[in-house]
Amino acid sequence: MTITIRDVAQKAGVAPSTVSRVIADSPSISEKTKKKVRKVMQELHYIPNASAQNLARSHSQTIGIVLPEDSNAFYQNPFFPTVLRGINDEATKHDYGILLSTGVTNEDRMHHVQRMVLGRQVEGLIFLYALQEDPLVEFALANHFPMIVIGSPDNVHVNSVDNYNEEIAREATQHLIDQGCRSLLWVGGERTQRFIQLREQGFREALAYNHLDADERHFINDLEFLPYEGYRLAERLVKEGLPFDGIVIADQLITRGIREYFLNHPDIDSPKLITFKAYQQSLHGNPPRESFVNLKSQKLGSHSVALLFDIMANNHPDADDERIIHDYIKAELIAEGDND
C-alpha cells in the first residue's frame, strides 16, 4: 500500500499542510514538530515525491532547452546533438536534468515555452539558435526569466554565448585565398539566422581586404542545411558555368553534398572547400579531406550551462544594474591534411 502525506499527518497528529511544510523545511514549523513528523515518516517508510517537493520550493532542478523549428535539417545536423551533449554533461554535474522543447509550428513552440516558464517546470532556458525578433525570446525577457542564447541574438539585452562568427569566416576565407583561390563563392543558409549574417559579413571583409571582387552572383543563401541541397547546388553551378575555384560553406551538411558531387564527377575540377564543423572527429588518424573550422560545439553547450547557473543565481528582476553576458568560445581552423 502506498503511504501518503495524509497517512503521515494522521499518525503524527498534525495537518497534511504541516507535513508538506516539514518536507519543504519551512522556517514556520518548529524544530520539535519537524522532528516528530520526520520520525513518523521514517517509521512509515514514506518517501516524499521529488517533483512535488521541488515545485513547492520553486526549484525543479531542470533546465529547459528550446530547439529551433522542427525540420529535417535539425535532426540531421551534428551541431545540435553535440551541443546537447555538452549541456547534459554540465547539467549532470550540478544534479540537474534537461527538458527539451520543440514544435512543428511557432505556435506549438510558444505554447511549450509558456508552459515551462509559467508552470515552473524549469529554472532557466537555453535557446539553441538565434533569430531576429524571436517572439519566444521576447516572452522570456518580458517574464524576467533566466535564459541564455547559443548564438548572436539581435537584442543586446539577451545573454548569449557564441563563436566569433565574423572572425572565423574571415579566417576561413583568408585560408583559401592564401592557397591561391581568387574566385570565391559564399554558400550560406537562412539569412534570418544571425550566424549566417555574421559569417557572410566576415567573408565579404576578407574579399575586400584582399582587393577581390564581391560579385553578387557568388553569394548563395537560403539553402536548407541538408546534403542533397549541396549536391543540387554544385550540379547547378557547373551547368551555369559560373567560374569559381573555392567555396566557403556555412554548414558541414551542405559541404557533404558538394563534395559528393565532385567525387562523382572526377572529370570536373573540384574547387577548394572550407566549412564549419561542430567538432573535430579525431585528433589522430586520417587527415581531413578539406579544411574546416572546429566550432567546439560541445564546449559551447557546457559553457552555456555554467553561464546560466550564474544568471539564475543573480536573477533580480527589479535590479537596475542587471549584468548582461555576451561570451565567446574561440573556434579553431584545421587545415587540409593536418592530423596533429
Side-chain angles (χ1 to χ4, degrees), residues 173-174 176-185 207 210-213 218 243-246:
T173 308
Q174 188 64 51
L176 293 190
I177 293 171
D178 291 344
Q179 289 187 312
C181 296
R182 291 296 179 269
S183 184
L184 291 161
L185 295 183
L207 294 185
N210 290 275
H211 308 291
L212 296 176
D213 290 337
H218 287 203
F244 58 92
D245 53 14

Side-chain angles (χ1 to χ4, degrees), residues 126-193:
I126 298 177
F127 288 78
L128 297 197
Y129 66 94
L131 293 178
Q132 290 179 305
E133 300 179 354
D134 186 352
L136 278 69
V137 170
E138 295 300 325
F139 170 79
L141 274 179
N143 283 272
H144 305 286
F145 201 74
M147 68 168 174
I148 189 163
V149 171
I150 296 181
S152 296
D154 56 349
N155 189 331
V156 296
H157 299 293
V158 175
N159 300 297
S160 65
V161 59
D162 199 3
N163 304 115
Y164 291 98
N165 282 294
E166 285 181 62
E167 178 184 298
I168 61 179
R170 282 197 305 268
E171 186 178 2
T173 308
Q174 188 64 51
H175 178 72
L176 293 190
I177 293 171
D178 291 344
Q179 289 187 312
C181 296
R182 291 296 179 269
S183 184
L184 291 161
L185 295 183
W186 161 257
V187 176
E190 187 182 347
R191 298 195 79 251
T192 57
Q193 299 187 81

Side-chain angles (χ1 to χ4, degrees), residues 274-315:
I274 191 166
T275 190
F276 306 85
K277 291 187 177 182
Y279 58 91
Q280 185 171 347
Q281 289 178 313
S282 175
L283 293 176
H284 305 285
N286 296 326
R289 282 172 285 189
E290 66 267 331
S291 301
F292 67 93
V293 176
N294 176 11
L295 299 174
K296 301 183 179 179
S297 300
Q298 187 171 338
K299 189 173 181 180
L300 274 172
S302 61
H303 195 55
S304 71
V305 175
L307 293 175
L308 183 60
F309 276 113
D310 183 39
I311 294 164
M312 292 190 300
N314 296 281
N315 185 44

Side-chain angles (χ1 to χ4, degrees), residues 244-284:
F244 58 92
D245 53 14
I247 314 178
V248 179
I249 311 162
D251 177 75
Q252 67 186 90
L253 290 182
I254 295 178
T255 306
R256 186 186 302 171
I258 294 174
R259 183 198 309 124
E260 183 181 355
Y261 175 83
F262 286 104
L263 287 175
N264 290 343
H265 298 81
D267 55 314
I268 302 174
D269 290 337
S270 176
K272 288 189 175 297
L273 309 178
I274 191 166
T275 190
F276 306 85
K277 291 187 177 182
Y279 58 91
Q280 185 171 347
Q281 289 178 313
S282 175
L283 293 176
H284 305 285

